[in-house]
């Protein structure tokens, strides 16, 4: 793959105006109500649409429910993964399969109100390429979740070179040209909110109140969220890597001064043996800092390893409703271009 993208590829207008991408993981309780609400929003719009549903290896009835909806309404299309690949990858796959001129990404649990699609479309028609939905409020979430989310957006805002909009989930509208650019990004660690911001183009925001989950439970526990946050920070910032260089420099300078002081003191007053405490503190704290540095190096190295292996991003077991895709397909970065 060459280093630079061939800018935005030439894009022909598609017959499908609007594509909706929805990742589904164990969402059987939400499916019927989800389609009822989304179809109520889409029908009066009078545009050709498609809803690309990605079943991310659900262990419940999700996929058979989705297929039933596909038979009822062929505009509902289903990509069935071979296993659970995670939400970020599911969104990526969904976008790969879309053909619409505008693509909206949203959750299946109705936390992203389908009614907002009107506003997203209106902004897009004004000429914006990316319209993201910013949460004015979050309902039905614990203070701990809100606090950790709040802190995360502030930390990543400070360390990342790409400004990542605060309090913004994946709920947004993308113009076809942005989707084509995203499809060319071969990164495995797909921190989508970062990538959405990284591409640039003309972006704008609309505000909304985030509803509580309709049914079922969020599958994101704090350990998953922590790792998600690390993915975000390590793929969009080198600050954790560079920090230790500066810390080392500072410690070296202090040590040098202290060494000078010791030499002078020894020359003037001779040797005195005690100093066990200061010695232990210095050895232990430096040991700790060095291990931490190694850990950070490991985080980056592990991600480099993931990229280098070049495994396909996702495997599709079956796809329903797509004319020009094989039933069983494998996605690799080069074949996705
Ligand atoms: N999801 C997915 N794969 C996963 C976990 C979640 O596709 O491994 C989907 C899930 O079905 C939902 C969306 O991602 O449509 C958001 O998930 P969830 O509501 O659990 O996350 P939260 O809203 O708590 O961030
Ligand atoms: Mg949710």
């Amino acid at each position: 793959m060459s280093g630079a993208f061939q800018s935005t590829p030439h894009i022909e207008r598609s017959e499908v105006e609007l594509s909706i991408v929805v990742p589904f993981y164990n969402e059987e309780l939400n499916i019927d109500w989800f389609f009822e609400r989304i179809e109520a929003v889409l029908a009066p719009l009078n545009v050709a649409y498609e809803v690309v549903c990605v079943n991310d290896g659900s262990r419940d009835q999700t996929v058979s429910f989705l297929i039933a909806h596909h038979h009822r309404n062929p505009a509902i299309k289903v990509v069935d993964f071979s296993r659970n690949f995670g939400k970020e990858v599911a969104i990526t796959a969904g976008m790969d399969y879309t053909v619409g001129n505008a693509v909206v990404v949203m959750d299946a649990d109705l936390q992203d109100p389908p009614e907002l699609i009107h506003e997203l479309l209106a902004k897009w028609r004004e000429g914006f390429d990316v319209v993201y939905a910013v949460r004015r409020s979050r309902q039905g979430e614990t203070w701990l979740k809100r606090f950790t989310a709040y802190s995360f957006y502030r930390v990543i805002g400070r360390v990342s070179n790409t400004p990542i909009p605060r309090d913004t989930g994946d709920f947004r509208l993308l113009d076809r040209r942005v989707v084509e650019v995203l499809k060319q990004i071969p990164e495995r660690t797909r921190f989508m909110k970062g990538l959405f911001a990284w591409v640039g183009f003309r972006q704008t925001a609309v505000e909304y109140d985030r509803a509580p989950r309709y049914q079922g439970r969020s599958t994101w526990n704090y350990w998953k969220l922590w790792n998600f946050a690390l993915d975000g920070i390590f793929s969009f910032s080198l600050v954790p890597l560079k920090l230790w260089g500066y810390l080392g420099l500072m410690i070296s300078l202090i040590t040098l001064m202290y060494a000078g002081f010791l030499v002078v003191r020894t020359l003037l007053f001779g040797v005195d043996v005690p100093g066990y405490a200061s010695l232990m503190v210095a050895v232990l704290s430096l040991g700790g800092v060095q291990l931490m540095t190694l850990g950070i190096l490991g985080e980056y190295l592990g991600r480099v390893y993931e990229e280098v292996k070049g495994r396909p991003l996702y495997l599709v077991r079956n796809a329903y409703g797509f004319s020009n895709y094989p039933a069983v397909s494998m996605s690799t970065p080069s074949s996705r271009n």
Side-chain angles (χ1 to χ4, degrees):
M1 189 164 158
S2 67
F5 293 170
Q6 314 121 14
S7 72
T8 314
H10 177 69
I11 294 158
E12 284 175 24
R13 275 192 84 74
S14 152
E15 282 165 22
V16 178
E17 180 82 340
L18 177 64
S19 302
I20 316 270
V21 170
V22 198
F24 285 82
Y25 178 58
N26 297 344
E27 300 282 6
E28 61 181 5
L29 297 174
N30 292 321
I31 289 180
D32 291 340
W33 182 224
F34 173 79
F35 285 117
E36 204 170 314
R37 265 186 67 186
I38 195 111
E39 282 169 300
V41 168
L42 294 175
L45 283 177
N46 256 330
V47 295
Y49 70 85
E50 62 175 357
V51 184
V52 176
C53 307
V54 182
N55 172 44
D56 187 10
S58 302
R59 273 163 301 186
D60 60 4
Q61 294 286 306
T62 298
V63 72
S64 44
F65 286 15
L66 288 176
I67 294 168
H69 278 281
H70 161 66
H71 290 313
R72 180 182 57 78
N73 176 359
I76 296 170
K77 303 172 181 179
V78 186
V79 178
D80 186 18
F81 274 0
S82 67
R83 64 168 170 85
N84 180 264
F85 282 91
K87 181 186 177 187
E88 309 294 297
V89 174
I91 294 175
T92 306
M95 290 198 306
D96 286 350
Y97 276 78
T98 59
V99 293
N101 298 318
V103 175
V104 170
V105 179
M106 62 189 298
D107 287 357
D109 57 4
L110 290 161
Q111 284 197 283
D112 305 331
E115 293 72 23
L116 202 75
I117 291 175
H118 286 290
E119 276 180 60
L120 298 178
L121 273 177
K123 287 280 181 201
W124 174 63
R125 294 198 169 122
E126 278 173 32
F128 289 100
D129 301 310
V130 178
V131 190
Y132 52 89
V134 180
R135 302 165 188 141
R136 201 181 305 139
S137 68
R138 290 168 162 244
Q139 294 156 29
E141 284 175 345
T142 62
W143 68 266
L144 187 61
K145 174 88 184 258
R146 284 198 304 252
F147 172 75
T148 47
Y150 176 92
S151 320
F152 167 69
Y153 284 112
R154 267 73 194 162
V155 169
I156 196 154
R158 297 207 127 229
V159 300
S160 159
N161 296 327
T162 312
I164 292 170
R166 290 177 178 184
D167 304 322
T168 304
D170 294 312
F171 188 24
R172 67 187 72 210
L173 179 147
L174 308 160
D175 185 81
R176 170 57 40 192
R177 53 169 89 90
V178 178
V179 174
E180 290 305 317
V181 167
L182 284 169
K183 275 159 77 172
Q184 293 185 49
I185 297 179
E187 237 168 279
R188 250 106 263 294
T189 315
R190 297 190 87 81
F191 184 67
M192 293 314 281
K193 327 175 192 239
L195 293 177
F196 288 145
W198 177 85
V199 295
F201 291 87
R202 294 190 61 199
Q203 306 217 359
T204 188
V206 298
E207 289 198 329
Y208 76 111
D209 297 300
R210 190 154 165 90
R213 199 170 223 290
Y214 178 60
Q215 293 278 309
R217 295 184 50 187
S218 169
T219 47
W220 295 82
N221 55 36
Y222 283 100
W223 178 242
K224 259 177 99 175
L225 283 172
W226 165 250
N227 281 303
F228 181 64
L230 290 187
D231 270 350
I233 289 167
F234 291 132
S235 37
F236 279 88
S237 171
L238 294 179
V239 170
L241 209 50
K242 292 178 175 165
L243 193 71
W244 308 104
Y246 292 103
L247 191 75
L249 192 71
M250 242 166 59
I251 292 178
S252 306
L253 287 178
I254 295 170
T255 319
L256 207 68
M257 287 188 304
Y258 187 55
F261 164 74
L262 283 184
V263 168
V264 171
R265 198 182 64 171
T266 312
L267 286 179
L268 293 182
F269 303 105
V271 192
D272 70 15
V273 175
Y276 173 77
S278 57
L279 211 63
M280 272 321 266
V281 169
V283 167
L284 290 180
S285 61
L286 277 181
V289 168
Q290 279 163 357
L291 279 182
M292 218 150 66
T293 320
L294 279 178
I296 302 273
L297 284 179
E299 291 284 348
Y300 283 97
L301 185 65
R303 281 169 175 77
V304 171
Y305 183 50
E306 284 299 317
E307 300 291 331
V308 166
K309 275 193 288 194
R311 286 198 187 139
L313 207 51
Y314 56 85
L315 298 175
V316 173
R317 184 170 171 275
N318 227 329
Y320 305 83
F322 303 94
S323 45
N324 43 357
Y325 283 90
V328 179
S329 74
M330 194 170 97
S331 158
T332 58
S334 48
S335 72
R336 286 194 307 124
N337 285 349

